[in-house]
Amino acid sequence: MMDAAEQTLHVENAPNPSAIPPEELARMTDDIVAALKTVYDPEIPVDIYELGLIYKVDIDDDRNVAIEMTLTAPGCPVAGDMPGWVENAVSTVAGVASCRATIVFDPPWDHSRMSEEARVAMNMW
């Protein structure tokens, strides 16, 4: 299992090459990560990307983005709102046609998924 610091979107090693030019795909990937870093759980002072809540980001040839994400706890009070926040943030990225965020709970989230930056911000060592 990768920790959050190791999480990256490996577009260059994708098994099925994309119809999107590599430079554009790399730019979109960087911009999507930046957009994800603007979304916060209101109870936690760290963005959802650094928390390790983003499990998968797929960009198809038509520039539709599918995101699998989780929550820190299944009973999270913003569970119904968080996917919409993610979709709204990612939809602002130039070149993204649409975005769909889905919450999954497998594997369950735990503190090991947090980046070092998140651990420092939350004083969790």
Side-chain angles (χ1 to χ4, degrees), residues 79-115:
D81 298 322
M82 187 82 67
W85 298 343
V86 169
E87 291 167 358
N88 289 339
V90 172
S91 292
T92 67
V93 171
V96 170
S98 70
C99 179
R100 186 70 168 145
T102 305
I103 294 179
V104 298
F105 292 104
D106 187 30
W109 180 86
D110 65 45
H111 295 118
S112 69
R113 300 191 63 87
M114 295 169 60
S115 69

Side-chain angles (χ1 to χ4, degrees), residues 9-95:
L9 306 175
H10 297 283
V11 294
E12 67 276 358
N13 295 325
N16 299 315
S18 175
I20 302 171
E23 302 81 21
E24 182 181 357
L25 192 56
R27 188 225 14 108
M28 286 179 69
T29 299
D30 291 345
D31 291 351
I32 288 169
V33 169
L36 291 169
K37 288 183 173 195
T38 68
V39 180
Y40 288 76
D41 180 319
E43 297 178 348
I44 303 173
V46 177
D47 68 78
I48 63 170
Y49 187 83
E50 296 298 333
L51 277 174
L53 298 182
I54 303 300
Y55 285 178
K56 185 177 182 180
V57 177
D58 282 330
I59 306 169
D60 71 16
D61 290 346
D62 294 321
R63 295 169 175 78
N64 299 304
V65 178
I67 297 174
E68 288 184 7
M69 60 176 295
T70 196
L71 305 168
T72 55
C76 178
V78 295
D81 298 322
M82 187 82 67
W85 298 343
V86 169
E87 291 167 358
N88 289 339
V90 172
S91 292
T92 67
V93 171

